[in-house]
Amino acid sequence: MAAGRRREIANELDGRVRWVRRTFLLLPGVGQRPEYDDYVIRHRRLAAQRAPELGFVIPELGHPYPGSSLPAQQLAMHVEATWPERQTALEDALYRATFTELADLADPEVLRRCARAARVPETGVEVALRDPALAARAHEEHREAAAHGITGIPALVVPGHAPMVGAVPAARYREMLAGVIDADVDT
């Protein structure tokens, strides 16, 4: 779910929802998927149909696929710890880069462009990419997410409920969260 959408839903629910950002690596290693294939394109089309307002671009078969999602996640974790007020802007820039520009989020120059768009110092990119603790944490969070049944992004995990994974219309997120809040109030 786009960062701006999370903020919007949290505001609608009067702060009764707390989002905890966790990492899920679409490509934990480098070069796992060299190009967009039928599988990814089919899922991208489905996401575009389910949530057209998000502006998904459908790549051509064979278009180069991002090298890895690890560098972008390292940057996001670094920004969350160092400049938390810029986190939403960075996540929105990373989203646009990968889903509407088809940019390679493993490319440090793409990450620097996203950092600039979020008003994050570009030096943060180099710091994040050189930090082995961030890489280790990203891999650990990925393993935890997979253990909870997460298979893709975005994902919403509410304790006691099955994860909601993929491009889901905002109304479904709202319904699920409102139902959980109402059930909690009734108990």
Side-chain angles (χ1 to χ4, degrees):
M1 175 183 334
R5 187 179 280 178
R6 285 194 311 265
R7 183 180 48 236
E8 175 187 313
I9 292 171
N11 288 340
E12 289 172 15
L13 297 172
D14 297 323
R16 294 177 288 174
V17 172
R18 183 175 62 94
W19 300 101
V20 177
R21 183 191 185 284
R22 303 292 287 176
T23 296
F24 184 81
L25 300 169
L26 289 176
L27 296 167
V30 176
Q32 290 177 301
R33 176 174 266 127
E35 57 191 33
Y36 283 91
D37 55 26
D38 287 329
Y39 173 83
V40 175
I41 293 170
R42 189 172 48 253
H43 280 79
R44 184 73 63 99
R45 281 192 181 112
L46 181 61
Q49 290 169 352
R50 287 183 178 172
E53 71 278 8
L54 296 179
F56 286 98
V57 169
I58 309 303
E60 296 283 326
L61 188 64
H63 183 86
Y65 200 75
S68 173
S69 56
L70 179 60
Q73 292 298 333
Q74 286 178 247
L75 176 59
M77 289 185 293
H78 179 64
V79 168
E80 182 178 43
T82 310
W83 303 282
E85 72 283 0
R86 305 306 319 144
Q87 181 69 27
T88 298
L90 176 70
E91 288 188 7
D92 286 343
L94 291 170
Y95 172 88
R96 279 189 305 279
T98 194
F99 292 110
T100 66
E101 300 167 15
L102 303 178
D104 183 356
L105 292 183
D107 180 345
E109 184 50 43
V110 171
L111 296 177
R112 283 191 282 279
R113 183 170 37 89
C114 291
R116 284 190 301 272
R119 296 182 306 149
V120 169
E122 288 182 48
T123 55
V125 174
E126 282 69 32
V127 169
L129 296 181
R130 287 192 316 262
D131 189 338
L134 289 176
R137 182 175 141 213
H139 282 288
E140 178 58 29
E141 288 184 11
H142 176 81
R143 283 188 290 278
E144 290 172 6
H148 288 293
I150 304 300
T151 58
I153 62 166
L156 173 65
V157 177
V158 175
H161 297 270
M164 189 179 295
V165 180
V168 176
R172 288 208 34 224
Y173 286 108
R174 287 179 178 96
E175 289 168 14
M176 179 185 200
L177 293 170
V180 170
I181 291 169
D182 290 344
D184 191 44
V185 169
D186 292 342
T187 57

